[in-house]
């Protein structure tokens, strides 16, 4: 989609109509539900820390011993911008290490893992995964906490005995204020244990809400061309471009930096660097978690070896994918949704020809030149997934290139799902502006739950054509579709890209409609509202 300053938009759209790729900011029958996997949603006021020891390609600590050998001072390591002390412990990825991803902590003798920082909103609960390394005998470990910066420590709960499989132990503290934690191995001599996925839930609001986990996709070239549909990116990578060759683009990492624990009610969206950062920061402000599936990451469902398996998240956020999902990825997506997951589907403009403007002047948005743009990616998912190939969500993405600045044709009926998205806790969405996006056609006979939210000005309110945004349910899960990335673009991100603020700075949208729509949709997908 194109998002330009208000005075330039009409001229720019006319001038760019002939380009191959514009500078966009751009049935419940037959549902095959796999046995549900363990629900990893976190019930708490908010997640204030999540440490999975995923350190990339190289461990920052590969040896137990410190210098001098046996010193109680241990070694300090930085994990996600936070400092930890590991004494007689390391971060390993051997075959004997029990782990939920690629790495976990390993402790021997009477080693320990200590936070050298505080969480400031207290702790309601802590969950920790643990197990016995390789063929070692069982050992015991325990959890301690300190409310005076580590001067004194108090054990919480009882001693825990490890087993040969990875288990999750939850401790209830309900302590307010400043606090830090320490994990101590208590028995078993040289027998080793693994520790992974430390999740701390804060005690700031009494624990009345449910923290949900949102995974933003960056594995389908969402950064290709003049686009930056990422929540944060600190590195760079070479990305194909539609004209041939490649360009250098910003590369997203799993955990946005700085840590989300630093986000407060007054934090600016520029805290993270990405065109979707405003969206993610607002979700964190509401007590939820936001991560990225980086380029090269695997889209799986039910794969315990993948730390970013979809079973570990509530909602998968995919903003303008530029690459087709593989056969296995489509199976994972369909089963993730059928078993209760949420999928945010955002597309962009296109035409009947993928290689250039069609007779209507419509242009594709194939930013990486692989022959597919986001409407084709989404239609492929809904017609070639191997589980239900008959548009199971009840709609088809149209091959068009449209602009609406804005439409006020919004659903006003009694559908409770639609009302939750249009008039939820994030406010009311009454307008929707597109700058070169696409629409959808509804097929209620395929899925009777499908419901239009916004229509083109030229379309019939309540009809099945010209739909700019919609929702549906599938099995136990939920879907939301928006036909343009302009409304969620916050205007920041890769400084080499052409980004414009359609999130909060778009005058015709009414200033609040775009955040309200996208945030309410996210919370509905996560079953918060």
């Amino acid at each position: 989609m194109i998002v330009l300053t208000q005075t330039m938009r009409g001229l720019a759209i006319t001038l760019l109509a002939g380009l191959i790729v514009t500078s966009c900011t751009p049935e419940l029958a037959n549902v095959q539900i796999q046995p549900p996997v363990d629900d990893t949603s976190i019930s708490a006021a908010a997640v204030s820390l999540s440490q999975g020891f995923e350190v990339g390609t190289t461990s920052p600590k590969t040896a137990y011993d410190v210098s001098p050998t046996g010193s109680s001072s241990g070694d300090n390591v930085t994990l996600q911008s936070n400092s930890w002390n590991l004494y007689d412990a390391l971060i390993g990825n051997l075959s004997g290490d029990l782990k939920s991803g690629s790495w976990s902590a390993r402790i021997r003798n009477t080693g320990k893992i200590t936070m050298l920082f505080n969480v400031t909103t207290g702790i309601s609960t802590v969950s920790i995964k643990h197990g016995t390394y390789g063929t070692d005998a069982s050992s015991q470990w325990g959890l301690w906490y300190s409310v005076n910066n580590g001067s004194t420590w108090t054990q919480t709960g009882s001693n825990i005995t490890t087993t040969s499989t990875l288990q999750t132990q939850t401790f209830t503290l309900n302590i307010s204020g400043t606090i830090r934690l320490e994990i101590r191995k208590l028995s078993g001599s040289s027998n080793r244990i693994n520790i992974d996925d430390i999740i701390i839930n804060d005690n700031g609001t009494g624990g009345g809400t449910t923290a949900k986990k949102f995974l933003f996709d960056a594995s389908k070239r969402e950064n290709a061309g003049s686009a930056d549909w990422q929540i944060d990116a600190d590195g760079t990578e070479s990305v194909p471009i539609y004209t041939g060759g490649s360009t250098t683009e910003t590369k997203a990492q799993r955990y946005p930096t700085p840590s989300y624990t630093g986000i407060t009610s007054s934090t600016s969206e520029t805290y993270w660097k990405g065109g979707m950062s405003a969206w993610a920061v607002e979700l964190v402000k509401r007590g939820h978690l936001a991560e990225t599936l980086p380029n090269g990451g695997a889209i799986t469902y039910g794969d315990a070896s993948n730390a970013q398996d979809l079973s570990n998240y509530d909602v998968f956020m995919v903003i303008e994918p530029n690459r087709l999902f593989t056969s296995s990825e489509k199976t994972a997506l369909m089963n993730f949704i059928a078993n209760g997951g949420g999928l945010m589907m955002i597309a962009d403009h296109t035409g009947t020809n993928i290689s250039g403007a069609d007779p209507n002047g419509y242009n594709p948005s194939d930013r990486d030149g692989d022959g597919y743009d986001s409407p084709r990616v989404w239609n492929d998912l809904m017609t070639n997934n191997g589980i239900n190939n008959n548009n199971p969500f009840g709609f088809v993405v149209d091959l068009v290139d449209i602009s609406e600045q804005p439409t006020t044709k919004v659903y006003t009926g009694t559908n409770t799902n639609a009302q939750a998205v249009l008039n939820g806790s994030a406010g009311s969405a009454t307008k929707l502006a597109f700058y070169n996006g696409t629409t959808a056609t509804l097929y209620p006979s395929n899925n009777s739950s499908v419901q239009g939210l916004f229509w083109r000005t030229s379309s019939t309110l309540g009809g099945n054509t010209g739909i700019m945004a919609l929702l549906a349910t599938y099995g136990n899960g939920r879907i939301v579709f928006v036909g343009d990335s302009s409304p969620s673009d916050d205007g920041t991100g890769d400084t080499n890209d052409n980004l414009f603020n359609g999130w909060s700075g778009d005058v015709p949208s009414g200033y609040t409609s775009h955040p309200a729509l996208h945030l309410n949709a996210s919370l509905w997908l996560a079953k918060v509202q």
Side-chain angles (χ1 to χ4, degrees):
M1 77 201 174
I2 298 174
V3 178
L4 302 175
T5 60
Q6 208 54 35
T7 57
M8 296 173 61
R9 281 171 174 153
L11 175 62
I13 292 171
T14 301
L15 292 173
L16 292 172
L19 295 179
I20 291 176
V21 178
T22 61
S23 175
C24 300
T25 35
E27 115 220 282
L28 295 183
N30 300 322
V31 175
Q32 298 181 16
I33 302 178
Q34 291 182 346
V37 298
D38 290 341
D39 183 357
T40 56
S41 298
I42 305 163
S43 297
V47 175
S48 56
L49 185 137
S50 175
Q51 181 52 252
F53 299 100
E54 296 305 309
V55 292
T57 58
T58 305
S59 171
K61 189 169 190 285
T62 58
Y64 296 107
D65 294 333
V66 294
S67 180
T69 300
S71 169
S72 61
S73 60
D75 294 315
N76 296 343
V77 298
T78 299
L79 303 171
Q80 295 174 238
S81 302
N82 293 317
S83 185
W84 298 71
N85 181 270
L86 275 64
Y87 168 66
D88 225 353
L90 52 76
I91 299 174
N93 66 346
L94 300 181
S95 59
D97 286 305
L98 293 180
K99 47 193 178 293
S100 62
S102 299
W103 301 85
S104 64
R106 189 194 316 151
I107 314 174
R108 70 176 185 179
N109 299 323
T110 55
K112 53 190 177 181
I113 300 172
T114 307
M115 292 169 54
L116 300 180
F117 60 99
N118 298 316
V119 294
T120 59
T121 53
I123 296 178
S124 56
T125 62
V126 180
S127 65
I128 302 172
K129 291 181 180 178
H130 66 99
T132 304
Y133 174 85
T135 58
D136 287 6
S138 296
S139 300
Q140 288 192 326
W141 63 276
L143 180 66
W144 270 253
Y145 68 89
S146 173
V147 295
N148 54 12
N149 302 313
S151 295
T152 60
W153 297 87
T154 302
Q155 185 174 9
T156 179
S158 58
N159 296 348
I160 309 301
T161 302
T162 60
T163 65
S164 59
T165 59
L166 203 62
Q167 305 290 325
T168 299
Q169 180 66 37
T170 300
F171 301 84
T172 300
L173 281 72
N174 289 331
I175 297 174
S176 300
T178 298
I179 185 171
R180 64 179 62 182
L181 300 175
E182 183 173 84
I183 298 169
R184 302 180 185 179
K185 185 172 179 292
L186 303 173
S187 72
S189 187
S190 60
N191 292 307
R192 296 152 291 182
I193 67 172
N194 287 117
I195 298 293
D196 207 355
D197 287 357
I198 304 170
I199 306 293
I200 298 177
N201 301 318
D202 74 34
N203 199 36
T205 62
T209 59
T210 301
K212 300 293 185 177
K213 298 179 73 174
F214 294 83
L215 181 62
F216 285 76
D217 186 58
S219 71
K220 297 302 177 185
R221 297 301 189 192
E222 283 88 348
N223 60 350
S226 186
D228 189 40
W229 311 143
Q230 304 172 131
I231 62 176
D232 182 55
D234 296 328
T236 61
E237 62 180 334
S238 180
V239 177
I241 192 169
Y242 72 96
T243 55
S246 62
T247 59
T248 299
E249 302 287 351
T250 56
K251 180 181 181 179
Q253 67 287 339
R254 175 180 178 180
Y255 296 110
T257 57
S259 172
Y260 56 81
T261 58
I263 293 177
T264 68
S265 60
S266 60
T267 298
S268 165
E269 61 90 7
T270 56
Y271 185 80
W272 290 335
K273 184 179 180 180
M276 299 291 113
S277 61
W279 194 348
V281 167
E282 287 299 320
L283 288 172
V284 174
K285 287 181 179 180
R286 285 165 169 77
H288 306 292
L289 278 172
E291 289 183 12
T292 293
L293 182 66
N295 183 26
I299 300 173
T300 64
Y301 181 71
D303 182 355
S305 67
N306 180 11
Q308 292 195 278
D309 186 81
L310 291 178
S311 65
N312 294 319
Y313 302 89
D314 298 283
V315 183
F316 192 35
M317 315 281 277
V318 187
I319 296 92
E320 209 180 315
N322 271 275
R323 293 286 176 100
L324 291 176
F325 298 105
T326 67
S327 176
S328 62
E329 288 174 338
K330 285 182 282 191
T331 298
L333 283 169
M334 296 300 292
N335 285 306
F336 167 65
I337 300 165
N339 279 297
L343 177 64
M344 174 63 77
M345 306 168 63
I346 293 186
D348 200 28
H349 62 86
T350 191
T352 54
N353 299 323
I354 196 63
S355 59
D358 66 14
N360 295 307
Y362 298 158
N363 285 289
S365 53
D366 177 16
R367 305 185 195 285
D368 61 349
D370 72 335
Y372 298 94
D373 55 12
S374 54
R376 288 172 168 82
V377 171
W378 289 128
N379 283 340
D380 178 72
L381 171 66
M382 295 184 290
T383 60
N384 189 31
N385 58 65
I387 293 176
N388 184 329
N389 298 325
N390 192 26
N391 299 314
F393 306 152
F395 72 95
V396 172
V397 183
D398 302 322
L399 303 184
V400 299
D401 180 351
I402 66 108
S403 292
E404 295 283 342
Q405 303 175 27
T407 182
T408 57
K409 284 192 172 181
V410 58
Y411 177 78
T412 58
T414 59
N415 182 297
T416 55
N417 288 331
Q419 286 300 327
V421 172
L422 294 170
N423 300 289
S425 59
S428 295
T430 59
K431 301 178 182 181
L432 182 58
F434 276 14
Y435 300 98
N436 293 89
T438 190
T439 57
T441 298
L442 305 187
Y443 290 89
S445 60
N446 292 38
N447 185 333
S448 61
S449 73
V450 69
Q451 175 61 61
L453 300 173
F454 282 95
W455 286 256
R456 293 195 67 183
T457 301
S458 59
S459 298
T460 301
L461 179 65
N464 291 335
T465 60
I467 315 298
M468 295 168 63
L470 60 86
L471 60 77
T473 60
Y474 175 79
N476 294 321
R478 300 176 174 186
I479 302 99
V480 170
F481 169 83
V482 180
D484 192 8
S485 49
S486 298
S488 55
D489 180 6
D490 61 32
T492 64
D494 189 345
T495 54
N496 296 317
D497 289 343
N498 230 1
L499 306 175
F500 300 89
N501 189 359
W503 178 259
S504 61
D506 194 0
V507 174
S509 75
Y511 291 98
T512 60
S513 278
H514 290 169
L517 172 65
H518 291 76
L519 291 169
N520 284 335
S522 303
L523 299 177
W524 178 77
L525 287 169
K527 301 181 180 178
V528 175
Q529 62 184 29

